């Protein structure tokens, strides 16, 4: 999971270069939970604070409606598959019954599309009063049911209004109204049904407003860089000062990245420290981690019972833990996630694969973490390897803009361990 995959970094190893025609929908997709409404702990590129309402729909899609303090709106749609090309622009047709718009959307990640609607009161009113929102682009056609969203959108408007004057707005949930709740006529069931047909449930994949936050922060950073470029002077001292500020900023981001993923390993080895020589691989319990590090071919330095390295401005670390009797690798991963979440001072997002036995009989789990605190975007790509009651945890950490590099490094480790 890379929260930004334009460079090499947090979910897949390569950029998805095309769309997969796999999400056609002929009927409205119904929301699976209550609407969640609340302020966002970050400012938009124009400096305004904003609020959002979100819900997960059948099929695993998430719809997020955002509104800033001046009433400007935007939409974000997440897909359960990685269908988009990061940074790509798409022409999207939107339709809330008779209210229709043709917009240019930006793919923030391979799974998240962002659509800036601006001060479009007619469209916002359409979302409040119409029964569905239809979205189509390329070969994709989606339809989101809007029944019962009027109360949620009213709460969103109040949230944006309150924060515009400095008032506090506590996050709320608004129940989804069924046709029976809203007084709409319903279709009567059969008097003598032949069998009881269960409802199909699809588990929603990790996709939170974290990704939208990250995109907004990234756009703000890009605007700041553009403004700075307009006032650059040919002064050597000023240029040297700017380079020093960039170095300090990179160091701050690296510190935030390590804190976000609960890294407690020793500091980097001093320059000139020799890499740990590859030990002879044996089946002895006390060489479990060293065997893995030897096969991984990472430029690691051993410090006590842990390893650390720095490559491509990424911080890497590895440690070994013991599985308590009766516990599983999934239990160890869940405990690690909770530790990382507790250390994140902002919004925390994580995603883990199902356990797979594919590394010389060992069980593995791939995971990605992200921590967005409004100032620094920190993320990590992790690999958990378990065998005979021991777990090795290998982490590649940096900012979210570095996650394609982290994912690439993790893929290389998996490939080396599988040989």
């Amino acid at each position: 999971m890379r929260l930004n995959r334009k460079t090499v970094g947090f979910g897949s190893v390569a950029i998805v270069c095309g769309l997969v025609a796999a999400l056609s929908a002929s009927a409205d997709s119904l929301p699976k939970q209550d609407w969640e409404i609340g302020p966002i702990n970050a400012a938009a590129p124009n400096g305004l604070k904003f609020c959002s309402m979100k819900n997960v729909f059948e099929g695993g899609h998430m719809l997020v409606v955002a509104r800033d303090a001046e009433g400007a709106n935007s939409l974000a749609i997440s897909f359960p598959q990685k269908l988009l090309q990061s940074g790509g622009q798409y022409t999207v047709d939107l339709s809330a019954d008779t209210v229709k718009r043709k917009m240019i959307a930006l793919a923030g990640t391979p799974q998240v599309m962002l659509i800036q609607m601006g001060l479009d009161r007619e469209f916002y009113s359409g979302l409040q009063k119409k029964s569905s929102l239809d979205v189509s682009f390329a070969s994709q056609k989606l339809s989101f049911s809007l029944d019962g969203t009027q109360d949620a959108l009213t709460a969103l408007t109040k949230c944006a209004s309150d924060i515009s004057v400095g008032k506090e707005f506590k996050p709320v949930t608004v129940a989804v109204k069924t046709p029976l709740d809203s007084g709409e006529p319903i279709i009567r069931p059969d008097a003598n049904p032949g069998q009881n047909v269960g409802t199909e449930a699809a588990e929603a994949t990790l996709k939170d407003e974290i990704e939208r936050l990250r995109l907004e922060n990234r756009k703000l950073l890009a605007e700041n860089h553009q403004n700075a470029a307009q006032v650059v002077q040919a002064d050597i001292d000023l240029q040297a000062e700017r380079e020093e500020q960039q170095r300090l900023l990179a160091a701050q981001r690296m510190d935030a990245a390590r804190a976000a993923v609960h890294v407690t390993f020793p500091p980097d080895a001093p320059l000139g420290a020799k890499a740990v020589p590859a030990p002879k691989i044996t089946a002895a319990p006390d060489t479990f981690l060293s065997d893995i590090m030897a096969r991984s071919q990472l430029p690691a330095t051993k410090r006590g019972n842990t390893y650390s390295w720095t490559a491509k401005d990424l911080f890497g670390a590895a440690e070994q833990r013991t599985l308590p009797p009766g516990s599983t690798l999934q239990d160890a991963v869940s405990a690690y996630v909770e530790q990382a979440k507790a250390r994140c001072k902002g919004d925390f997002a994580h995603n883990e694969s199902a356990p797979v036995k594919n590394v010389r009989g060992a069980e593995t789990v791939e995971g990605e973490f992200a921590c967005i605190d409004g100032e620094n975007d920190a993320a990590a790509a992790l690999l958990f390897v378990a065998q005979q009651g021991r777990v090795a945890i290998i982490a590649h950490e940096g900012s979210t803009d570095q996650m394609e590099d982290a994912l690439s490094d993790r893929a290389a480790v998996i490939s080396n361990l599988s040989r």
Side-chain angles (χ1 to χ4, degrees), residues 146-158:
L146 298 180
D147 287 334
T149 58
Q150 184 168 3
D151 291 344
L153 286 162
T154 299
L156 177 63
T157 301
K158 184 177 187 306

Side-chain angles (χ1 to χ4, degrees), residues 227-258:
N227 293 336
Q230 296 174 354
V231 296
V232 170
Q233 302 176 8
D235 187 288
I236 297 177
D237 292 338
L238 181 59
Q239 182 63 27
E241 180 182 355
R242 182 174 292 111
E243 291 176 355
E244 176 64 13
Q245 291 174 348
Q246 291 174 346
R247 186 190 65 79
L248 292 175
L249 178 60
Q252 291 171 358
R253 286 181 175 174
M254 187 61 68
D255 291 341
R258 296 175 184 175

Side-chain angles (χ1 to χ4, degrees), residues 115 128 135 148 172 206 227 285 333 340 361:
I115 308 170
Q128 290 180 299
V135 181
V172 298
L206 167 75
N227 293 336
V333 173

Side-chain angles (χ1 to χ4, degrees), residues 1-15 82 296-299 309 311-312 314-315 366-368 379-383 394-417 419:
M1 163 189 89
R2 161 146 171 153
L3 300 183
N4 174 6
R5 302 175 190 263
K6 285 191 71 175
T7 58
V8 178
F10 196 134
S12 66
V13 176
I15 293 176
K82 300 171 183 177
S296 70
Q297 300 182 20
L298 289 167
W309 63 93
K312 293 184 287 190
L314 293 172
F315 173 76
E366 297 176 35
E368 297 86 34
L382 298 105
L383 177 65
I394 302 174
H396 301 272
E397 307 139 25
S399 67
T400 55
D401 289 336
Q402 297 173 296
M403 282 313 299
E404 286 296 342
D405 282 332
L407 290 172
S408 178
D409 288 354
R410 183 182 67 185
V413 170
I414 295 173
S415 176
N416 289 334
L417 294 180
R419 295 174 181 172

Side-chain angles (χ1 to χ4, degrees), residues 178-257:
T178 65
L180 183 62
D181 296 330
S182 58
E184 297 290 337
I186 63 174
I187 299 175
R188 297 293 179 184
D190 294 338
N192 297 303
Q195 61 180 353
N196 184 19
V197 181
T199 58
E200 181 180 354
E203 181 181 357
T205 58
L206 167 75
K207 192 49 63 184
D208 200 299
E209 200 165 337
I210 296 290
E211 303 202 337
R212 185 183 186 286
L213 273 173
R214 185 214 51 75
L215 180 60
E216 293 294 345
N217 288 341
R218 181 174 174 274
K219 292 172 69 177
L220 176 60
L221 183 60
E223 288 188 2
N224 290 341
H225 286 175
Q226 182 178 5
N227 293 336
Q230 296 174 354
V231 296
V232 170
Q233 302 176 8
D235 187 288
I236 297 177
D237 292 338
L238 181 59
Q239 182 63 27
E241 180 182 355
R242 182 174 292 111
E243 291 176 355
E244 176 64 13
Q245 291 174 348
Q246 291 174 346
R247 186 190 65 79
L248 292 175
L249 178 60
Q252 291 171 358
R253 286 181 175 174
M254 187 61 68
D255 291 341

Side-chain angles (χ1 to χ4, degrees), residues 3-4 6 19 45 74-79 83-92 94 103-117 137 211-212 214-220 222-223:
L3 300 183
N4 174 6
K6 285 191 71 175
L19 295 177
S74 62
L75 303 177
I77 300 172
S78 74
F79 299 82
L83 302 180
L84 309 174
Q85 178 177 329
S86 291
Q89 295 184 349
Y90 299 90
T91 302
V92 179
L94 304 174
M103 307 296 294
I104 300 298
L106 174 69
T109 78
Q111 291 179 264
V112 178
M113 172 178 286
L114 181 66
I115 308 170
Q116 297 288 352
M117 302 302 300
F137 68 100
E211 303 202 337
R212 185 183 186 286
R214 185 214 51 75
L215 180 60
E216 293 294 345
N217 288 341
R218 181 174 174 274
K219 292 172 69 177
L220 176 60
E223 288 188 2

